[in-house]
């Protein structure tokens, strides 16, 4: 399964480095192409020669030792890898990465890579339990890094507890599962996701908008794409990067978003309206900047097109999923919107809950749908939640259109 997969193993300085030698050996035996990078402290435990012999490749440890003048080694390796394993990962390297510090070849490469990075911590039980280490691990999880939890047992420091580098066999197994062909339940389907806020101009320098960061919608698009769908992401103005393998359509106003969605609606299997669409727009956009005046100013507003309702009227076989940002009686209002907008599902989002709603990395929602479906999804990262929501909708629809 991992034949020809390019795996960069970053070894940092802890006693578990000896296990990393076995890990590199097993990955190579399983057919992977393995390259190893070491921190200076890792080399206090084992010499690069051991890793060179096991990987049958040069070992990298000096950012300034450019072996090939055609490339810059740490960028080249960062781009080369299909997967980066940091094993063992010390508290020190975890802290550096969590804070964006790049002071050796390993940390510099970790900041430069776009590949998935898995971190396998190994340290003393009390160090692993330290609030600073926990904080850094939490930050890195939010940043999208994955962790291979240490196992429990005898530690080199004499303690018994959690902190042992996971066994090399187990890590190889995880890598094999990662590269095994995935179930792609949305293969051959087109999914349209809207995300972010819309902007309604008042004059050339002012507009009405809201606090949507786009994170939930972008996570929905990423999940759809990971599950195999051809994914169209129609986004209002946000400051985040689009996930890989999705077609991004940038829009500004509600009307732009409506037209962009209509463009793809007929051929879509699922439409997910995560966007926080402005409900009102100025009746008249001032062609020049409005001048400050004494006293109150009244701006006449009118309703924007309710895109979800319009799609509800037009839908044929499409599964229509709306979101509902609410501050009270969340499920009750979501059920009302489900009916009123003729949607198949509404994902009710209590935006007053800490760690949920606008701008946060995490979210908790309730999926309401036809046949009185009412399923709560507890707080987790928006990326994980998006996958859970799609999987649930696919399960609920498996006897129908999907
Ligand atoms: O972007 P983030 O910072 O990650 O925040 C995520 C989120 C809070 C924006 C998201 O989880 C969410 O709840 N999105 C829906 C917000 C919203 O506008 O809710 P609403 O109750 O006003 O609208 C209900 C549904 O109708 C939504 O699917 C909305 O896209 C749609 N709508 C609303 C108004 C309108 N004119 N046209 C629409 O299509």
């Amino acid at each position: 399964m991992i034949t020809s997969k390019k795996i960069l193993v970053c070894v940092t300085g802890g006693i578990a480095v000896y296990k990393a030698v076995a890990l590199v050996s097993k990955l190579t035996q399983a057919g992977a192409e393995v390259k190893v990078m070491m921190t200076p402290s890792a080399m206090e435990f084992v010499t690069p020669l051991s890793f060179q012999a096991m990987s049958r490749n040069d070992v990298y440890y000096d950012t300034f030792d450019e072996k090939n003048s055609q490339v810059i080694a740490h960028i080249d390796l960062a781009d080369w890898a299909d997967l980066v394993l940091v094993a063992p990962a010390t508290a020190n390297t975890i802290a550096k990465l969590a804070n964006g510090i790049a002071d050796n070849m390993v940390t510099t490469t970790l900041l430069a890579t776009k590949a998935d990075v898995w971190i396998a911590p190994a340290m003393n039980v009390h160090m692993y339990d330290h609030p600073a280490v926990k904080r850094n691990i939490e930050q890195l999880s939010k940043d999208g890094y994955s962790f291979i939890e240490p196992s429990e047992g005898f530690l080199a420091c004499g303690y018994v507890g959690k902190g042992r580098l996971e066994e090399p066999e187990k890590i190889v197994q995880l890598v094999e599962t990662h590269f095994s062909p995935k179930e792609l339940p949305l293969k051959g389907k087109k999914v349209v996701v809207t995300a972010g806020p819309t902007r309604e101009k008042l004059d050339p320098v002012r507009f009405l908008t809201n606090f949507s960061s786009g994170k939930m919608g972008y996570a929905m698009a990423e999940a759809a794409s990971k599950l195999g769908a051809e994914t169209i992401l129609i986004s209002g103005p946000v400051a985040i990067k689009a996930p890989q393998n999705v077609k991004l359509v940038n829009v500004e106003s509600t009307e732009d978003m409506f037209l962009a969605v209509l463009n793809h609606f007929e051929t879509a299997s699922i439409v997910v309206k995560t966007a926080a669409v402005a409900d009102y727009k100025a009746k008249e956009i001032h062609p020049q900047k409005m001048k400050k005046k004494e006293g109150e100013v009244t701006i006449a507003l009118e309703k924007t097109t309710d895109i979800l309702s319009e799609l509800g009227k037009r839908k044929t076989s499409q599964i229509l999923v709306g979101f509902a940002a609410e501050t009270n009686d969340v499920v009750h209002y979501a059920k009302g919107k489900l009916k009123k907008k003729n949607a198949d599902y509404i994902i009710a989002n209590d935006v007053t809950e800490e760690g949920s709603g606008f701008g946060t990395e995490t979210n908790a929602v309730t999926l309401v749908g036809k046949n009185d479906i009412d399923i709560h999804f507890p707080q987790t990262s928006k990326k994980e939640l998006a996958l859970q929501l799609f999987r649930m909708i696919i399960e609920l629809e498996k006897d129908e259109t999907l």
Side-chain angles (χ1 to χ4, degrees):
M1 229 95 75
I2 61 175
T3 305
S4 307
K5 293 293 173 207
K6 299 181 190 115
I7 302 175
L8 178 64
V9 179
C10 294
V11 184
T12 74
I15 190 67
V17 167
Y18 76 94
K19 279 171 124 179
V21 179
L23 173 65
V24 169
S25 164
K26 287 185 188 310
L27 286 169
T28 310
Q29 283 172 40
E33 197 184 329
V34 184
K35 291 189 181 176
V36 178
M37 195 177 271
M38 300 175 79
T39 60
S41 339
M43 291 192 294
E44 297 289 330
F45 293 89
V46 171
T47 65
L49 190 59
S50 307
F51 286 108
Q52 184 183 308
M54 291 302 157
S55 65
R56 289 169 221 133
N57 269 317
D58 285 343
V59 173
Y60 300 81
Y61 45 86
D62 184 350
T63 325
F64 304 102
D65 176 19
E66 295 290 3
K67 296 180 202 299
N68 174 359
S69 60
Q70 300 301 305
V71 294
I72 296 168
H74 66 278
I75 303 294
D76 192 44
L77 287 162
D79 291 344
W80 170 85
D82 294 320
L83 176 69
V84 180
L85 290 175
V86 189
T90 57
N92 186 42
T93 294
I94 289 172
K96 286 181 188 175
L97 187 56
N99 289 285
I101 294 170
D103 64 346
N104 60 40
M105 193 156 185
V106 165
T107 47
T108 309
T109 308
L110 288 175
L111 291 195
T113 191
K114 298 293 276 175
D116 284 339
V117 177
W118 293 6
I119 301 170
M123 64 194 78
N124 162 272
V125 59
H126 298 315
M127 287 173 77
Y128 188 63
D129 226 25
H130 193 282
V133 175
K134 283 185 167 167
R135 214 167 36 238
N136 290 331
I137 290 179
E138 201 181 310
Q139 180 58 51
L140 289 171
S141 303
K142 282 183 190 163
D143 293 345
Y145 291 91
S146 301
F147 279 82
I148 302 174
E149 263 199 80
S151 55
E152 292 196 26
F154 283 100
L155 302 177
C157 52
Y159 280 95
V160 177
K162 197 166 184 170
R164 283 165 63 94
L165 177 68
E166 186 50 276
E167 293 308 318
E169 294 78 5
K170 181 74 193 294
I171 299 180
V172 175
Q173 215 178 60
L174 291 171
V175 174
E176 283 177 340
T177 310
H178 174 72
F179 285 115
S180 65
K182 304 274 179 314
E183 193 206 347
L184 296 174
L186 294 178
K187 201 169 161 54
K189 309 278 176 195
K190 178 165 162 181
V191 173
V192 177
V193 178
T194 69
T198 56
R199 275 183 188 170
E200 301 303 335
K201 269 191 179 169
L202 298 176
D203 70 11
V205 298
R206 302 181 180 93
F207 51 82
L208 295 172
T209 192
N210 57 65
F211 291 112
S212 173
S213 63
K215 287 176 189 165
M216 190 67 232
Y218 278 49
M220 293 302 286
E222 185 173 333
S225 163
K226 275 190 175 163
L227 295 171
E230 174 199 350
T231 307
I232 315 290
L233 171 59
I234 298 170
S235 174
V238 295
I240 55 175
K241 263 173 67 179
Q244 279 180 351
N245 302 327
V246 310
K247 181 168 183 243
L248 177 68
V249 181
N250 286 308
V251 295
E252 200 166 297
S253 68
T254 305
E255 213 47 40
D256 294 343
M257 185 172 276
F258 182 40
L259 294 178
V261 175
L262 280 187
N263 231 345
H264 293 280
F265 188 57
E266 232 172 83
T267 49
S269 298
I270 308 179
V271 178
V272 184
K273 292 245 42 266
T274 321
V277 182
D279 287 317
Y280 292 95
K281 61 179 178 182
K283 235 175 155 174
E284 205 187 307
I285 302 173
H286 285 251
Q288 267 87 40
K289 184 181 170 190
M290 286 186 278
K291 293 290 172 215
K292 246 186 279 178
K293 290 184 197 151
E294 289 303 317
E296 287 179 3
V297 173
T298 305
I299 298 170
L301 300 178
E302 63 184 4
K303 278 196 174 159
T304 54
T305 305
D306 189 322
I307 305 171
L308 188 57
S309 294
E310 288 303 318
L311 300 181
K313 286 178 203 158
R314 289 169 165 80
K315 87 179 157 115
T316 49
S317 59
Q318 299 87 344
I319 298 166
L320 197 52
V321 184
F323 268 73
E326 302 290 352
T327 53
N328 61 304
D329 287 336
V330 176
V331 172
H332 170 74
Y333 284 123
K335 285 186 172 166
K337 285 180 182 169
L338 180 78
K339 217 166 153 194
K340 192 165 157 224
K341 302 196 182 205
N342 194 28
D344 296 287
Y345 300 95
I346 292 279
I347 297 164
N349 203 165
D350 183 347
V351 292
T352 60
E353 200 182 311
E354 191 165 342
S356 288
F358 292 97
T360 52
E361 293 298 329
T362 51
N363 209 0
V365 296
T366 303
L367 177 75
V368 301
K370 45 195 178 187
N371 308 329
D372 251 351
I373 282 159
D374 175 346
I375 306 165
H376 185 65
F377 292 76
Q379 199 168 98
T380 183
S381 70
K382 284 181 173 169
K383 288 187 179 199
E384 172 57 28
L385 179 65
L387 274 170
Q388 291 178 7
L389 286 165
F390 265 115
R391 289 205 175 106
M392 180 55 75
I393 291 168
I394 292 164
E395 177 63 26
L396 293 168
E397 293 288 331
K398 72 175 188 296
D399 297 328
E400 308 212 5
T401 29
L402 282 177

